[in-house]
Amino acid sequence: MFYREAGDFKSTYAEDQALFPIALDRWFVLAAAVMACGVPLVASEYWLSTIFLPVLILSIAAIGLNLLTGYAGQLSLGAGGFMACGAYMAYKFTTAFPELNMVVVFALSGLSAAAVGIVFGIPSLRIKGFYLAVTTLAAQFFLLWLFTKVPWFVNYSISGVPTAPPREMFGVPVTGASASVEARYYLVLALTAILALLAKNLVRGRIGREWMAIRDMDIAAEIIGIRPLKTKLTAFAISSFYCGVAGALWSFCYINIVEPTAFDINRSFAILFMIIIGGLGSILGSFLGAAFITLLPVFLNNAPALFNLQISSTLVSHIEFMVFGALIIFFLIVEPHGLARLWQIAKEKLRLWPFPH
Amino acid sequence: MHTWGWRVGEFFHTFFAAPVGGIIEAPLFFLEVVIGGLMAGVMYSLVALGFVLIFKASGVFNFAQGTMVLFAALCFVGFLEMGAALWIAFPLTLAIMVALAFVVERVVLRPLVNQEHIILFMSTIGIAFFLEGFGELLWGGDVHELDIGLPDGALFVGEILIQQNDLVAAAAASIMVAVLAFFFHYTRVGRALRAVADDHQAALSIGIPLQQIWFIVWAVAGAVALVAGIMWGQKLGVQFSLSVIALKALPVLILGGFTSIPGAIVGGLIVGVGEKVAEVFWGQALGGAIEEWFAYILALVFLLFRPQGLFGERIIERV
Amino acid sequence: MVGEKNEALLKVENISLAFGGVRALEEVSFDVMRGEVRAIIGPNGAGKSSMLNVINGFYHPQKGSITYKNRRRAQMKPHAAAAAGIARTFQNIALFRGMSALDNIMTGRVHKMKRGFLWQALHIGPARREEMENRAFVEGIIDFLEIQAIRRVPVGRLPYGLQKRVELGRALAAEPDLLLLDEPMAGMNLEEKEDMCRFILDVNEQFGTTIALIEHDMGVVMDISDRVVVLDHGKKLADGTPAEVRGDQAVVDAYLGVARG
């Protein structure tokens, strides 16, 4: 009864199509935002740097993949490749133009990834489904090889894995080892919030409907006047933009090093798992999935200690694989719309609570 | 600074003249590379074969086929290390693969029947992860040497050097294809499988039980995976990276077409030869290790021109 | 009720279409006058759906030409046809199952919405205004089709008859000049059929939309169409008013006679 839409009347279409049409949802989002801003006050540095930062950054990547796979229905196994693209281009941009504002650098690296995404999206005009999965694998393997083998991308650094150069915003260091974890957190949080909002706007407008139309029935979409190639390439470009920004943030604000292994094929799978578990076609689900996939290994590593069990870390990593695999199958069978749908069901139940009907 | 003319000349030299010159100068070496590629290609074909079997009969794109290869090899080598004889380890592993097929059909495929292909595909990614973790949980994540006493060492045919275990692999692959062909054409189950592949609905309506068919085809694919796993393991050792190498069966399928067994064979050979030749003669100019992506890019380019694969059928879309 | 402006909106001439060796259409010619309700009938496999697919550019005929709005061409791209004002519904409902009824109908207005993705991402100013204007238009269609209550329901969950109605709504949202309906009443009960007939006639009268429809129910065809073209085995058998067609001996033999026993 407390969570309700009854009595929440809409008098214009604008109100009806608002981001969060139900009043209580708006309060919820506001509360979440306030909490997110307050996290550094309460959380330890360990939690900030090993949980919150990666969860936020991976949420961006998951949103990106969700736009492409969950909304536009184009399966991609190459998210890691596009993240790498963003990371390496961010390194190139900020070393070539040290004075450039980091937000601009991140945007530019996202745009570079978008350009690459368009190139690898071109085959999607003629192929779908599994075929596309294979061509996105091509992106994954080729891009990683490219960044590893061409020394230009790392400015001919001897080690091949340069550290992220320190940069400041408003006089505060935000990247590199010298930046405080709080500063990095707030930068990442701000970018995540903005990108999530933009994504939400995209999917509720014309472009989102075009994507979903292509996903649900591409032939009918074409016949009612949606251009398949343009729509798919837009999805590839925007998705890759998000992945690119996420990759750049990963290297510059999280691991402080530009290295290829952070973006290998396992990263691509992890992000795919995030959107399956979080919910295909849901922005909220991208966050839930990123949090879930990041927290699960932490939990698995710490759980044995809680029960006074001695389990080696390699064993835990094997179990991790099994749990991920089993969870994917479980969610696909039981709830293909993932955690986001469970959340929605909870809300619907709450709407009727405490009356059963 | 070099002139443009010099640059173009150098480009031509590195990417065309030098490699092609190398081929012409040493035709025997080239032939050796090609044969090496063919042998590697047979390995890809073995993995791709399992994909095709499952795809033909159920329309499921089994991403886990590569992991099944790894899993079968791990079990096999695990039994050997426990001291089992070959003739015990082989049927034991085979039984495990059949049991696996049973579990997969019951737990994963049956609840997902009538779901979209893409959902089934993603569920096989889940299977792949589970199996990988499970296999290593059981047998450990180290590299296991696998030696089943196949002839090892090199052989000279004329002046060309050939690895003997490559020959064995090729022979095993040929035997397996022959057995499969026999199975599909002369057994009742095989004919039922072909019927299902042609038309699900029609097959169902004449009383072919779909679930049983799925179980059988996954079991057969498991057997294929075991043979492939033994061959791969013999050559490279049984290790985690097998499942990544096995991913190359995907571009093989794109070249050959998802539903064609000859396609899987030919596609595997093309990819094997293509990447070996590219690596040996062009790899240096590009910075090396182009084997990692060559197959995928080849498949991508190929898709632009012939999306249905070499042996696939063109689909007429209807509304 | 033949259109006041007595000119052909669409003219297909000598269309031949084959898939491999199978001939779907052979030398078919007919026209559709502005403002009329034109029925295409014929037994199963006569090439009716193929004909619609040719008209809106999904199939490309090997021979013949299409003249639409006085522009003659050999073939069109589907989205070009849509942009030129040809909308359609499908024999087997082709809605976007994961989307709500409202969103489905909104997709019908894609080519009325021009704002690029940057505006859309920001969702301010022109993009927002555009969204609201189109929403208002779509709400008009929702009222017209009497489906207000199911706006937010994912169409996959709707019963068959309502899905057909949503699909009609999506086609209408494009404000088409020519509306192609592929068996709009297939599988409906009598009441649903009557509703659908009423909608079709209302669309034709209120918006002046020209309609070409495929239908198997002869009663419906004879009632609502101005002229009928009969196809059989990919060839045109007869063309004329319902009364003329009904009297045509070839038609009776090939189609009505068989169908009616």
Side-chain angles (χ1 to χ4, degrees):
Chain A
M1 268 320 260
F2 300 106
Y3 179 79
R4 58 195 186 137
E5 56 184 342
D8 205 352
F9 297 115
K10 312 288 184 297
S11 52
T12 65
Y13 295 133
E15 270 178 42
D16 192 39
Q17 292 197 318
L19 264 183
F20 303 102
I22 299 175
L24 214 72
D25 275 342
R26 286 196 290 275
W27 287 109
F28 179 79
V29 169
L30 194 65
V34 170
M35 266 156 58
C37 292
V39 158
L41 301 178
V42 283
S44 69
E45 195 175 316
Y46 169 81
W47 273 80
L48 267 188
S49 61
T50 58
I51 307 289
F52 284 96
L53 269 179
V55 166
L56 285 178
I57 296 171
L58 291 175
S59 299
I60 300 178
I63 291 172
L65 186 63
N66 220 335
L67 294 180
L68 182 64
T69 303
Y71 285 95
Q74 310 297 306
L75 183 60
S76 165
L77 300 177
F82 298 119
M83 285 178 78
C85 199
Y88 281 87
M89 288 320 286
Y91 182 72
K92 284 307 283 185
F93 279 121
T94 194
T95 48
F97 311 100
E99 296 305 313
L100 213 54
N101 185 306
M102 275 321 280
V103 172
V104 178
V105 169
F106 291 139
L108 286 174
S109 46
L111 288 177
S112 319
V116 176
I118 289 175
V119 172
F120 281 97
I122 290 172
S124 71
L125 175 67
R126 297 191 62 179
I127 56 172
K128 5 181 160 164
F130 335 114
Y131 287 87
L132 198 60
V134 179
T135 64
T136 53
L137 275 179
Q140 171 71 48
F141 288 116
F142 178 74
L143 288 173
L144 244 66
W145 173 86
L146 187 71
F147 297 128
T148 324
K149 293 289 174 187
V150 180
W152 179 81
F153 286 107
V154 289
N155 292 343
Y156 304 95
S157 126
I158 308 290
S159 68
V161 280
T163 50
R167 293 288 180 267
E168 294 183 349
M169 276 178 72
F170 312 114
V172 183
V174 290
T175 67
S178 58
S180 74
V181 68
E182 285 85 4
R184 288 184 277 145
Y185 174 78
Y186 280 119
L187 174 65
V188 170
L189 179 67
L191 288 176
T192 311
I194 293 168
L195 288 172
L197 186 69
L198 296 184
K200 188 86 189 161
N201 280 338
L202 277 178
V203 298
R204 68 186 168 135
R206 170 182 62 92
I207 288 183
R209 286 190 295 269
E210 287 185 1
W211 285 343
M212 290 185 276
I214 289 281
R215 172 195 70 190
D216 285 351
M217 191 170 266
D218 52 352
I219 296 171
E222 189 179 353
I223 286 174
I224 66 170
I226 294 169
R227 290 160 178 264
L229 182 62
K230 193 177 154 213
T231 308
K232 288 176 184 173
L233 289 187
T234 312
F236 265 98
I238 295 176
S239 162
S240 306
F241 178 88
Y242 276 72
C243 289
V245 173
L249 287 173
W250 189 266
S251 280
F252 276 70
C253 296
Y254 178 50
I255 56 174
N256 293 325
I257 188 173
V258 185
E259 55 145 11
T261 49
F263 310 113
D264 65 5
I265 177 95
N266 287 319
R267 174 76 56 209
S268 298
F269 280 122
I271 294 169
L272 180 67
F273 289 178
M274 285 171 200
I275 66 170
I276 295 175
I277 289 177
L280 290 166
S282 160
I283 302 293
L284 172 69
S286 311
F287 282 95
L288 298 177
F292 190 89
I293 296 283
T294 313
L295 286 172
L296 187 66
V298 177
F299 172 76
L300 288 177
N301 273 307
N302 291 315
L306 290 178
F307 302 104
N308 286 321
L309 290 173
Q310 290 290 321
I311 295 183
S312 73
S313 62
T314 49
L315 195 60
V316 169
S317 79
H318 298 329
I319 294 177
E320 205 180 297
F321 265 82
M322 288 172 67
V323 172
F324 277 148
L327 274 173
I328 292 301
I329 296 168
F330 174 81
F331 270 99
L332 287 172
I333 291 172
V334 178
E335 190 45 85
H337 297 288
L339 292 169
R341 174 72 188 142
L342 293 180
W343 167 248
Q344 209 181 342
I345 291 171
K347 284 205 299 187
E348 273 166 25
K349 289 260 157 62
L350 207 58
R351 198 173 287 184
L352 299 172
W353 188 85
F355 309 110
H357 296 292
Chain B
M1 274 289 127
H2 299 293
T3 63
W4 271 107
W6 187 86
R7 279 166 185 241
V8 171
E10 194 199 38
F11 183 86
F12 177 79
H13 178 79
T14 2
F15 289 100
F16 185 74
V20 174
I23 291 172
I24 295 170
E25 270 169 34
L28 279 182
F29 176 61
F30 177 70
L31 205 58
E32 254 177 52
V33 172
V34 169
I35 290 172
L38 281 174
M39 296 307 167
V42 169
M43 297 296 202
Y44 295 140
S45 302
L46 280 176
V47 184
L49 213 53
F51 274 103
V52 170
L53 285 175
I54 291 179
F55 190 82
K56 253 175 106 82
S58 59
V60 175
F61 186 98
N62 178 25
F63 191 82
Q65 185 68 30
T67 322
M68 280 164 64
V69 170
L70 171 68
F71 183 74
L74 272 175
C75 290
F76 185 70
V77 83
F79 288 132
L80 288 183
E81 281 170 6
M82 282 162 70
L86 271 182
W87 60 272
I88 296 178
F90 190 84
L92 220 51
T93 315
L94 201 58
I96 288 185
M97 296 315 283
V98 172
L100 177 71
F102 181 78
V103 173
V104 164
E105 193 278 315
R106 267 300 154 84
V107 179
V108 183
L109 299 179
R110 195 173 288 188
L112 284 173
V113 74
N114 289 332
Q115 285 281 6
E116 286 166 61
H117 288 319
I118 206 93
I119 299 278
L120 280 158
F121 172 58
M122 291 195 283
S123 76
T124 65
I125 299 181
I127 296 175
F129 267 69
F130 183 85
L131 268 188
E132 198 164 317
F134 188 54
E136 302 202 329
L137 186 76
L138 289 179
W139 308 109
D142 310 322
V143 179
H144 302 263
E145 292 296 325
L146 176 61
D147 185 4
I148 54 171
L150 292 181
D152 209 351
L155 188 76
F156 277 95
V157 177
E159 289 176 55
I160 301 163
L161 179 92
I162 296 174
Q163 296 294 331
Q164 280 187 347
N165 55 14
D166 282 345
L167 282 180
V168 175
S174 321
I175 293 169
M176 201 158 66
V177 170
V179 169
L180 285 175
F182 178 84
F183 173 72
F184 271 110
H185 285 269
Y186 298 104
T187 65
R188 215 171 59 86
V189 177
R191 279 197 292 269
L193 282 173
R194 280 196 297 153
V196 173
D198 281 346
D199 191 337
H200 271 200
Q201 298 295 332
L204 277 178
S205 66
I206 58 166
I208 294 174
L210 195 59
Q211 281 146 352
Q212 202 180 326
I213 292 292
W214 283 21
F215 161 61
I216 292 171
V217 79
W218 276 74
V220 174
V224 173
L226 173 57
V227 176
I230 294 173
M231 293 304 146
W232 277 104
Q234 169 93 3
K235 198 176 162 110
L236 301 168
V238 178
Q239 52 178 323
F240 182 79
S241 64
L242 276 191
S243 65
V244 177
I245 300 173
L247 277 184
K248 283 203 190 132
L250 299 176
V252 166
L253 290 167
I254 284 189
L255 289 172
F258 280 169
T259 52
S260 161
I261 287 181
I265 309 280
V266 176
L269 298 180
I270 292 176
V271 165
V273 172
E275 70 176 16
K276 274 285 177 309
V277 169
E279 178 71 50
V280 171
F281 293 97
W282 277 270
Q284 216 53 46
L286 284 165
I290 65 174
E291 264 181 299
E292 280 172 26
W293 53 262
F294 180 82
Y296 296 95
I297 299 288
L298 183 68
L300 196 153
V301 173
F302 186 81
L303 273 174
L304 291 175
F305 298 101
R306 204 177 154 84
Q308 70 271 37
L310 284 171
F311 295 87
E313 288 156 21
R314 196 173 201 108
I315 300 159
I316 298 170
E317 305 215 64
R318 296 176 55 94
V319 260
Chain C
M1 202 186 45
V2 175
E4 292 78 23
K5 287 167 272 174
N6 210 357
E7 56 157 339
L9 177 65
L10 172 82
K11 213 189 243 173
V12 293
E13 284 164 294
N14 306 318
I15 293 287
S16 294
L17 173 75
F19 301 107
V22 184
R23 289 194 186 148
L25 293 169
E26 265 180 88
E27 300 282 331
V28 177
S29 307
F30 65 93
D31 57 6
V32 181
M33 293 297 180
R34 213 174 259 279
E36 79 171 333
V37 178
R38 185 75 143 118
I40 304 172
I41 64 171
N44 286 326
K48 308 181 297 293
S49 288
S50 295
M51 193 66 237
L52 290 198
N53 283 336
V54 165
I55 294 174
N56 74 351
F58 188 64
Y59 288 165
H60 296 158
Q62 281 85 11
K63 251 186 73 188
S65 68
I66 306 163
T67 311
Y68 175 69
K69 289 185 178 168
N70 297 321
R71 275 192 62 194
R72 185 187 160 112
R73 51 192 121 191
Q75 51 179 246
M76 263 200 241
K77 287 256 193 272
H79 61 80
I86 302 179
R88 76 173 283 189
T89 66
F90 301 85
Q91 186 177 353
N92 306 309
I93 298 170
L95 285 170
F96 309 122
R97 297 179 61 82
M99 300 163 71
S100 69
L102 174 65
D103 278 342
N104 263 282
I105 302 178
M106 285 293 278
T107 56
R109 294 198 65 76
V110 281
H111 46 258
K112 308 278 177 197
M113 301 175 77
K114 304 284 180 220
R115 294 293 159 194
F117 75 90
L118 276 178
W119 280 113
Q120 302 238 344
L122 296 171
H123 201 74
I124 51 168
R128 192 180 163 88
R129 211 174 311 127
E130 181 182 75
E131 181 85 10
M132 294 315 139
E133 284 164 8
N134 284 288
R135 171 79 192 271
F137 184 89
V138 164
E139 286 294 336
I141 290 171
I142 289 177
D143 288 344
F144 173 78
L145 293 172
E146 299 157 19
I147 48 175
Q148 297 90 337
I150 55 151
R151 255 193 215 105
R152 297 279 180 197
V153 183
V155 292
R157 287 196 225 153
L158 291 175
Y160 182 79
L162 281 177
Q163 290 197 16
K164 281 267 183 198
R165 224 186 268 188
V166 174
E167 204 188 16
L168 177 64
R170 185 179 68 187
L172 290 178
E175 296 176 72
D177 299 309
L178 175 61
L179 179 58
L180 310 174
L181 304 174
D182 197 343
E183 302 197 19
M185 277 157 262
M188 286 186 167
N189 63 31
L190 187 63
E191 196 184 336
E192 287 171 329
K193 276 186 186 174
E194 281 171 353
D195 280 344
M196 189 54 87
C197 282
R198 182 162 55 82
F199 291 133
I200 293 173
L201 290 175
D202 282 352
V203 168
N204 182 245
E205 262 166 47
Q206 286 183 18
F207 310 132
T209 309
T210 309
I211 294 171
L213 68 98
I214 294 173
E215 186 47 56
H216 275 299
D217 186 319
M218 278 310 122
V220 169
V221 170
M222 297 302 160
D223 275 353
I224 68 172
S225 51
D226 298 311
R227 287 191 305 155
V228 182
V229 56
V230 187
L231 298 183
D232 187 24
H233 289 106
K235 289 184 189 139
K236 186 164 96 169
L237 212 57
D239 191 352
T241 63
E244 287 167 5
V245 168
R246 202 186 330 221
D248 190 302
Q249 195 55 44
V251 176
V252 174
D253 288 348
Y255 179 57
L256 296 177
V258 178
R260 287 281 148 117

